[in-house]
Amino acid sequence: MARIIAIANQKGGVGKTTTAVSLAHALAMRGRRVILADLDAQGNVSACFGRQPSPGLFRLLIEAAPLADLLAEVRPGLDLLASDVSTARLKLALAGEPYREAILARALANVSHDFVILDMGPGRDLLHDMAHNAAGEVVAPVAVDHLALVGVGMELATLRAVREHGHAVELTAILPTFWDPITTESRLNLEKLVSTFVDLVLPAVPRTTRLREAPALGLTLWEHLPGDHPACVAYTRLTERVLSHAQA
Ligand code: ADP
Ligand code: MG
C-alpha cells in the first residue's frame, strides 16, 4: 500500500506546490514509484512540468475513470495526476453523495506505487477533507516571512477534527520556507516555530530567485539548481525525513 502524504497549509503562496514537486521528484530519483496528485483547481503542478492542466482528478472521482489511464509519467518513476478548473466543480458534482470526503481515499486504496504526494490548494473545503482522509501523513510548508504560526495552527485544528472522526493522520514535518536570514521577522518567526514544534521543524528553505524561475522552465529544483545549493540541501533533508519515517 502506498504512503499518502498531503502537502498542506491553508495559506496560499507558502511553497506547497514547490514542496510537492521537489519531494515527489526526489523520491522518484531515489527509485521509489511516486504519484504526484494535483488537488488545486489552478493546475500549477502541470505547469511546473511544462504541461497544460487537464481534468485527471475530476475524471478519477466523478467519472470513475481508471487511475492508470489518467497518469502521465513526467519523469522516470514519477506519475502526474493532473487537475484543472474542473476540480472546482467537484464539490457541486458530489453534492448529496454519502461519505464524499472518503472518495479520494477509496480511489487511491489499491495503488501499487510507493508514495502518493497530494498537492493541496489554499483554503479549506471538501478537497481538503478528502485529502486529510486519504493521507496518513501531512507535511506543512510554512512561509516564515508572514503569519507562520497561524497557518500551522489551522492545520493542526484540521488534523484534530479528522482524527476525531476516526482517521489516523499525523503531522510528520513542518518545513519553513521563504527563509530570509537578513530580515528580523524571518528569524523571529523561525525561532517561534522551533520553540513550539521542536523536532518537527526541518531546516528552512531559503527564499531564492532560482527556485522561482524553475517552474517557468518546466524544470524541478533538482534540475535547475546545483545540488549543494541551500534550497537543495533543505529539500534533501525533507526527503530523508520522509524516507526515515518509513523505517520507524
Ligand atoms: P503554494 O503552492 O503554497 O501556493 P508555491 O509553491 O506555488 O506556493 O510558491 C509560490 C511562488 O513562490 C511560486 O512562484 C514559486 O515558484 C515561488 N517559490 C516557492 N518557493 C520559493 C523559494 N524558496 N524562494 C523563492 N520563490 C519560491
Ligand atoms: Mg500551489
Side-chain angles (χ1 to χ4, degrees), residues 150-213:
V150 178
V152 191
M154 290 193 294
E155 182 54 34
L156 286 174
T158 304
L159 291 179
R160 261 196 304 276
V162 175
R163 279 194 218 105
E164 279 164 14
H165 283 85
H167 174 66
V169 53
E170 57 172 331
L171 182 62
T172 46
I174 293 173
L175 181 69
T177 54
F178 293 91
W179 158 244
D180 179 356
I182 297 169
T183 66
T184 312
E185 189 195 17
S186 199
R187 190 171 44 75
L188 290 178
N189 276 329
L190 187 56
E191 279 170 12
K192 261 190 262 170
L193 267 184
V194 173
S195 65
T196 311
F197 297 102
V198 201
D199 289 347
L200 272 186
V201 183
L202 292 172
V205 180
R207 175 190 288 278
T208 157
T209 308
R210 296 211 56 198
L211 193 43
R212 185 176 285 280
E213 291 164 355

Side-chain angles (χ1 to χ4, degrees), residues 17 19 36 51 55 83 88 98 100 135 152 168 180 200 209 211 217 248:
T17 299
T19 298
L36 174 55
R51 304 171 69 94
S83 163
R100 55 201 185 128
V152 191
D180 179 356
L200 272 186
T209 308
L211 193 43
L217 301 168

Side-chain angles (χ1 to χ4, degrees), residues 3-18:
R3 279 175 64 195
I4 304 180
I5 304 176
I7 311 299
N9 184 330
Q10 289 168 40
K11 293 177 76 68
V14 296
K16 289 184 295 295
T17 299
T18 305

Side-chain angles (χ1 to χ4, degrees), residues 17 40 44 119:
T17 299
D40 188 343
N44 284 344
D119 179 31

